[in-house]
């Protein structure tokens, strides 16, 4: 009996070692070590000597900017870019949430077949490459594009959207909208309909049910939806290149630009700062809500 | 209330599909115009099929996605088996955190972190460029692995642990017990993981962009370079084909949504 057990235990140990070691090795080599390389590049110069120059440059570099009234003002280049990224990403995320919440609710409350069809329909744009989706909006919003063509036939003057921050927001909302819907929908579909009925029976009106039952129950969905829209929006560079006509640099553009210019150490510094900010805000959110993002493997 | 929600749903669907519909429509345009339809023509499709770079990119993308998804499925499934057997809560927590890193990190971070390591190692060995098909493959396996693990792990945890134990009591070796008992139980998770890894790899642009090299181009990278210059409706023809391929795939196989277990990326990434 005891011999059998030890054999089993020894077997277990071998299984664990054999199954875990390739992935553990891979994760260390290609997940953890590369992150260390970002830190290493961020704090070194071209000769790989230690320097804080790159980090300081992020906070102190300045450039001239012409404001709306035509005056030239001196701005902190990268802080401005960072602030703009954050602003546009937050606006886009808020719009996605406001548009997506009622839609997810409407889908979750419909019949089983409608739910399935709707989810498939929402997934189709998501499976199309985001470059193509973004490009589609460029052709729509262009000065000579479809939108202005339509407005023209209606006798309305052409409007200039492409190359504005508004166009970038449209692109972010469109590209990442499904990522908001999916977690919201999956949490709402799991909601017990009896709970809503009970709330109504106990005298809640529609707004009360929403505020007291539906909203609190859907918080985990909101959090993962917000994270999944915010992170790609804040780090994008293609959307701003195409829809912002390259006039509104975002943090992703800054990193990509330095990469293209073969300025890896400064690119690493920008990426490092972005990572620190993202990690800090996630830790903060986690503390505030007591929840882990993405749920994890469990 | 019902009408309101129907109208709203319809509006949202129009918002989601109008841009794609416009692409499809103008891919058949006779002229280059993006706002005026001057006549039906298939010339952009002909031009697309004469475009060697694009055809090569399609082939590259498929080769890369097949290799990356198979490797990550095998390694990820093994890892999930190991993780599910971890007794130490601390070790389990470490594995979960590490697995989550590529999913939570913005793609641009994953991309440049790998690129920097490859460049550093390459220059250490005096290579002019170390970026190639293989670096891109490593990158793809890396970002596919978490999806496989997160699909297989819940299946292992739902399984009755006495099943493999019983098999071993009846004389199976642990390995045989795994293949005879555990593997069939977790197969649905493995298949889902494989499909997700495959589509993630097909669709990835950002990470591929930073780890590409030596002229190895995938389709998303090809699209990127096509949209850099002024674009011909050839791009639309490509988008149309991609759209119908996706539609067909979604209709025939009931592809699991990318959202399962709330673990997804942006894809897109």
């Amino acid at each position: 009996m005891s011999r059998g057990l030890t054999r089993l235990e020894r077997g277990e140990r071998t299984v664990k070692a054999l199954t875990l070691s390739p992935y553990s090795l891979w994760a260390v080599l290609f997940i953890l070590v590369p992150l260390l390389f970002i830190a290493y590049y961020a704090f070194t110069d071209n000769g790989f000597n230690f320097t804080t120059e790159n980090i300081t440059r992020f906070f102190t570099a300045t450039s001239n900017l012409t404001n709306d009234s035509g005056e030239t003002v001196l701005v902190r280049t990268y802080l401005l870019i960072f602030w703009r990224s954050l602003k546009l990403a937050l606006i886009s995320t808020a719009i996605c949430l406001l548009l997506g919440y009622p839609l997810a609710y409407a889908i979750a409350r419909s019949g089983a077949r409608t739910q399935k069809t709707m989810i498939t329909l929402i997934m189709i744009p998501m499976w199309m490459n985001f470059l193509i989706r973004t490009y589609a909006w460029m052709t729509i919003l262009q000065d000579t594009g479809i939108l202005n063509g339509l407005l023209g036939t209606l006798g309305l003057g052409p409007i200039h959207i492409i190359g504005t921050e508004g166009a970038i927001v449209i692109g972010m909302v469109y590209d990442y909208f499904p990522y908001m819907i999916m977690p919201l929908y999956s949490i709402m579909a799991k909601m017990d309909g009896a709970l809503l009925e009970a709330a109504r029976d106990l005298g809640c009106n529609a707004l009360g049910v929403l505020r007291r039952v539906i909203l609190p129950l859907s918080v985990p969905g909101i959090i993962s939806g917000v994270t999944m829209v915010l992170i790609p929006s804040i780090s994008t560079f293609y959307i701003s290149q195409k829809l912002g006509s390259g006039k509104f640099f975002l943090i992703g553009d800054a990193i990509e630009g330095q990469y293209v210019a073969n300025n890896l150490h400064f690119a690493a510094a920008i990426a490092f700062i972005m990572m620190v900010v993202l990690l800090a805000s996630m830790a903060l959110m986690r503390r505030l809500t007591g929840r882990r993002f993405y749920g994890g493997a469990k | 209330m019902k009408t309101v929600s129907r109208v709203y749903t319809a509006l949202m669907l129009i918002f989601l599909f109008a841009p794609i519909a416009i692409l499809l429509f103008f891919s058949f345009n006779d002229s280059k115009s993006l706002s005026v339809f001057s006549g039906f023509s298939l010339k952009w499709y002909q031009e697309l099929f004469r475009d060697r770079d694009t055809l090569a990119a399609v082939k590259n993308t498929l080769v890369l996605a097949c290799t990356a998804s198979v490797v990550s499925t095998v390694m990820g499934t093994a890892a999930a088996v190991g993780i599910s057997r971890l007794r130490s809560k601390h070790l389990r927590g470490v594995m979960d955190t590490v697995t989550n890193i590529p999913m939570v990190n913005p793609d641009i971070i994953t991309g440049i972190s790998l690129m920097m390591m490859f460049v550093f190692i390459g220059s250490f060995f005096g290579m002019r460029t170390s970026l190639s098909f293989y670096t891109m493959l490593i990158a793809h396996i890396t970002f596919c692995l978490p999806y496989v693990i997160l699909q297989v792990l819940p299946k292992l945890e739902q399984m009755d642990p006495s099943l493999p134990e019983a098999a071993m009591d009846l004389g199976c070796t642990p390995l045989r017990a795994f293949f005879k008992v555990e593997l069939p139980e977790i197969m649905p998770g493995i298949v889902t993981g494989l499909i997700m890894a495959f589509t993630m790899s097909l669709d990835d642009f950002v990470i591929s962009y930073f780890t590409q090299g030596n002229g190895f181009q995938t389709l998303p990278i090809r699209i990127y370079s096509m949209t850099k210059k002024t674009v011909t409706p050839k791009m639309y023809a490509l988008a149309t084909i991609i759209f119908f391929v996706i539609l067909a795939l979604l209709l025939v196989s009931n592809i699991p949504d990318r959202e399962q277990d709330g673990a997804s990326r942006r894809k897109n990434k």
Side-chain angles (χ1 to χ4, degrees), chain A residues 12 99 174 179 242 256, chain B residues 8 16 85 209 227 266:
Chain A
E12 270 288 304
L99 290 178
Y174 183 76
Y179 298 122
K242 287 294 138 192
E256 197 254 353
Chain B
Y8 185 71
L16 283 174
R85 281 161 203 245
Y209 175 76
T227 56
R266 24 265 161 188

Side-chain angles (χ1 to χ4, degrees), chain B residues 32-215:
Chain B
K32 255 186 156 179
S33 168
L34 309 173
S35 51
V36 185
F37 195 79
S38 50
F40 180 85
S41 141
L42 286 175
K43 71 175 180 196
W44 303 115
Y45 288 85
Q46 287 171 337
E47 212 173 280
L48 179 71
F49 283 106
R50 277 198 298 264
D51 183 345
R52 273 157 187 267
D53 286 348
T54 303
L55 296 180
V58 170
K59 198 192 109 208
N60 287 346
T61 309
L62 289 175
V63 170
L64 183 69
C66 288
T67 324
S69 56
V70 169
V71 174
S72 59
T73 302
V74 173
M75 204 194 309
T77 304
V81 169
I83 292 173
S84 74
R85 281 161 203 245
L86 284 177
R87 295 265 162 71
S88 137
K89 265 205 146 157
H90 174 71
L91 221 60
R92 175 69 196 256
V94 172
M95 290 309 273
D96 285 352
T97 308
V98 172
T99 305
N100 261 326
I101 291 176
M103 312 200 35
V104 189
N105 251 344
D107 285 355
I108 197 168
I109 301 270
T110 309
I112 66 159
S113 68
L114 283 162
M115 175 269 294
M116 278 166 188
M117 182 173 81
F118 295 141
V119 168
F120 185 84
I121 293 171
S123 63
F124 186 78
F125 288 108
M127 289 151 84
R128 230 188 83 253
T129 170
S130 57
L131 299 173
S132 66
F133 165 74
Y134 296 100
T135 53
M136 215 196 257
L137 180 63
I138 289 173
H140 278 229
I141 293 170
T142 307
F143 74 71
C144 286
L145 273 167
Y147 292 95
V148 177
I149 295 176
L150 290 183
Q151 288 302 322
V152 180
L153 208 46
K155 292 277 180 284
L156 281 160
E157 264 149 15
Q158 283 159 20
M159 190 182 61
D160 186 352
S162 53
L163 277 176
E165 274 166 32
M168 282 185 273
D169 278 351
L170 293 171
C172 271
T173 59
L175 197 68
R176 208 172 138 83
F178 173 75
F179 281 107
K180 285 264 170 193
V181 181
E182 280 182 76
L183 196 63
E185 283 280 311
I186 61 172
M187 212 35 156
I190 298 177
V191 173
T192 313
L194 180 79
I195 296 173
M196 278 173 83
F198 184 75
T199 53
M200 286 293 160
S201 170
L202 276 190
D203 199 44
D204 175 72
F205 164 67
V206 177
I207 296 171
S208 309
Y209 175 76
F210 287 103
T211 50
Q212 65 172 323
N214 250 342

